[in-house]
Amino acid sequence: GTSGKDYCYDDNTGPTASPALKPTYAPNTFGATYVPGDLTVPCDDGNGKIITLSRGMACALLTTAGTPVKFSNGTLSLQNMHTKADGAGVIPHPSDGGWYYVSNSEASSSGGGAGTIRFDATGGVIGYDRTLTGTTRNCGGGRTYWNTWVTCEENGSSGFCYEVDPYTGYTSLVKNVLQGGNYESFAYDNADPDVEARFFTTEDSPNGALVRYTPHPNAFATNNSYDILKTDNGSYEYLVLNSIDGTFSWSPKLVDGESSANALFPNSEGIDVHNRILNFVSKVNKELFTLDLAAGTWSVTTTLSGAFDLQPDQLGRIIGDSEILYFCEDGGGNADIHGRDSTGQYFTIVRGDGYNTETTGLAFSPDNKFMYMAFQANSNVYSFWREDGLPFNGVVAYTKYHAT
C-alpha cells in the first residue's frame, strides 16, 4: 500500500478486455521451459500497454477500474471493477474446484472495501461482485486457515480489519488489532504448540508495531470459525527485537512495540508465516526480517538487488521444488514482481513496462497454475501462466538471477 500518495486514473469507459489466451495442461514430456528472471516475453494487454514476462510465461488482462469485468462466456459483470486494486488473496471454492480472487480497494472516504473475481476450475472468469463496501483505504490483508480473507484499512489512526468470506458473503469487523491504525497485512500461525492459533498484523507507520493477537480459548470452542477473530477477551502483544543477541520477545505494552519498530523496522508491510518462520518487510529500510517463532531468534537481509530498487510491499509465497518468496513493489517507474529463493538470490519475474504505479495483489490459484497480480493505478489485474502447463511451484528450466 501507499502512504500519503494518490494516483491519477485514465478514463476508460469500455468493457474490460477478455482473456484471449488459455493455458494448456498437456503432459510436458520435454522438460520445463519456464525460466524465471529471463525477461524476454512481451505481453500485449490489448489496451496499449506491453509488459515483459519471464521466458515460458503468458498473460492476459482481466480487469480495468470502472468498467464491467468480461466473463469467459462473453457476458459482462453487473458491477464495475473497483478502483485502486491492492492486496489480494485466493480462496478455494469448497466444492466445485474453482476459486475466488478477493482484491482490496484502497479508495478513500468509505469508497474502499473489496471485490471478488470468481473463477471456474479451468481458470475461466465466471463472476465478479463487490464483497465488502463502506470501508476506507483497504490495503493489505491475508488469508485465514479456514479459507476466508482478512482485509485491513491503511487509514491513519482510524483503520481496522474485516473478515470476508466470498463463498457465503459473510463480512465482519474483527479483533486482530486493539485500536485504530494504518494497518497493512495479516498472517497466522496455527502450528504453535502452546495455543490453537495466533495472528499477526503489520502497520505501515514509522513506529507501527507488529501485533500478535491470541484469541481467547472460548473463540475456538463454538465450532464456528467466524467466532475465532471476533470473540472478546483475546490478548495483544507487540514485537520487540533485541539487536544485541538476535532474539525477540512479545511485550503486552504497545509503547515497547512502537519503540522497537521505530528503531529497527519502520513502516512494516508484507508478512508471511510458514512452518513457524515469519517473514515481514520494512519498506523504508528495504529489509526483509525473518523470525524463527520456535527458536525465538531473528535475522535481517536487504531486499536491494539488481532491478529491485524500490520499496518492498506485499509478500507471497509458493512452495515446491524451490521455495520462493515473492515481492511486490510500492510505486515508481519500476513496477515489477520479484522473487527470492532459498539461496537468498533475487530475480525479476514480471517487469511492468509502461506502468508508473505499485504492483499489488499477488496471489496464486489453488493448483498454482495461475499467478495473479495488479497494477494499482487502473486496477489492471492480470492472470499469468506457464506455457509448459506446469504449476509455478514445479520444476523450472533454470533461473536467471540479478547481477550482484
Side-chain angles (χ1 to χ4, degrees):
T2 58
S3 295
K5 183 174 180 180
D6 290 320
Y7 291 99
C8 297
Y9 297 92
D10 296 324
D11 290 330
N12 187 334
T13 57
T16 298
S18 175
L21 301 172
K22 297 287 287 186
T24 58
Y25 297 100
N28 182 358
T29 57
F30 299 99
T33 61
Y34 172 50
V35 184
D38 187 9
L39 296 169
T40 57
V41 178
C43 176
D44 189 339
D45 70 359
N47 286 338
K49 283 191 169 61
I50 299 176
I51 62 177
T52 303
L53 316 180
S54 294
R55 191 199 307 179
M57 285 178 67
C59 84
L61 175 66
L62 301 181
T63 68
T64 299
T67 72
V69 177
K70 192 169 186 179
F71 303 155
S72 296
N73 65 3
T75 61
L76 301 176
S77 63
L78 297 178
Q79 295 176 294
N80 289 338
M81 177 65 183
H82 55 276
T83 60
K84 301 193 78 169
D86 211 305
V90 166
I91 305 296
H93 188 278
S95 61
D96 70 5
W99 55 89
Y100 304 90
Y101 176 82
V102 187
S103 166
N104 290 344
S105 170
E106 205 182 19
S108 301
S109 304
S110 300
T116 298
I117 305 171
R118 172 83 159 93
F119 295 89
D120 64 21
T122 70
V125 178
I126 60 173
Y128 171 79
D129 60 52
R130 290 298 305 272
T131 317
L132 176 69
T133 58
T135 56
T136 298
R137 290 183 54 83
N138 294 75
C139 188
R143 279 177 51 177
T144 66
Y145 59 87
W146 54 93
N147 285 325
T148 60
W149 174 250
V150 171
T151 172
C152 296
E153 294 176 303
E154 188 184 33
N155 190 28
S157 61
S158 302
F160 285 93
C161 299
Y162 298 81
E163 184 176 359
V164 173
D165 187 335
Y167 176 63
T168 65
Y170 167 86
T171 63
S172 177
L173 178 73
V174 289
K175 298 180 182 293
N176 57 305
V177 294
L178 182 60
Q179 60 205 17
N182 208 49
Y183 296 113
E184 261 286 340
S185 297
F186 168 93
Y188 66 84
D189 174 24
N190 63 342
D192 190 320
D194 298 326
V195 294
E196 191 81 20
R198 299 188 197 271
F199 301 88
F200 305 89
T201 308
T202 58
E203 184 173 3
D204 186 5
S205 299
N207 65 340
L210 197 158
V211 185
R212 183 176 78 167
Y213 173 64
T214 305
H216 190 276
N218 290 345
F220 302 98
T222 66
N223 295 318
N224 182 352
S225 296
Y226 296 153
D227 290 335
I228 294 175
L229 289 174
K230 68 175 189 178
T231 299
D232 292 334
N233 299 316
S235 64
Y236 300 88
E237 297 165 291
Y238 305 93
L239 177 65
V240 177
L241 299 181
N242 186 323
S243 59
I244 304 300
D245 63 5
T247 63
F248 65 88
S249 59
W250 298 96
S251 171
K253 298 180 180 179
L254 174 60
V255 65
D256 293 342
E258 290 177 334
S259 176
S260 187
N262 188 67
L264 295 171
F265 52 94
N267 298 87
S268 57
E269 292 223 359
I271 189 170
D272 169 85
V273 179
H274 179 72
N275 287 340
R276 310 231 58 221
I277 301 297
L278 184 154
N279 289 288
F280 72 96
V281 292
S282 167
K283 73 175 186 181
V284 170
N285 292 347
K286 300 180 181 179
E287 291 178 326
L288 171 69
F289 288 82
T290 300
L291 277 58
D292 186 326
L293 296 176
T297 57
W298 66 278
S299 60
V300 60
T301 56
T302 180
T303 62
L304 284 170
S305 172
F308 187 8
D309 56 1
L310 297 177
Q311 293 179 336
D313 192 351
Q314 297 154 5
L315 292 181
R317 175 181 293 277
I318 190 165
I319 309 300
D321 293 340
S322 178
E323 186 172 303
I324 298 172
L325 195 64
Y326 291 96
F327 297 80
C328 295
E329 277 186 300
D330 194 354
N334 298 325
D336 309 323
I337 296 292
H338 306 277
R340 176 184 184 269
D341 67 12
S342 57
T343 70
Q345 298 182 87
Y346 288 84
F347 49 93
T348 301
I349 301 160
V350 175
R351 191 177 67 218
D353 302 324
Y355 281 98
N356 186 21
T357 183
E358 64 176 286
T359 50
T360 66
L362 181 67
F364 293 85
S365 62
D367 61 5
N368 291 317
K369 289 191 174 182
F370 293 89
M371 179 174 75
Y372 304 104
M373 57 82 68
F375 295 101
Q376 187 185 67
N378 213 24
S379 289
N380 289 148
V381 175
Y382 282 80
S383 174
F384 302 92
W385 58 90
R386 290 175 53 160
E387 291 188 309
D388 57 18
L390 297 176
F392 278 95
N393 61 338
V395 64
V396 301
Y398 63 92
T399 301
K400 184 175 180 180
Y401 295 105
H402 292 169
T404 56

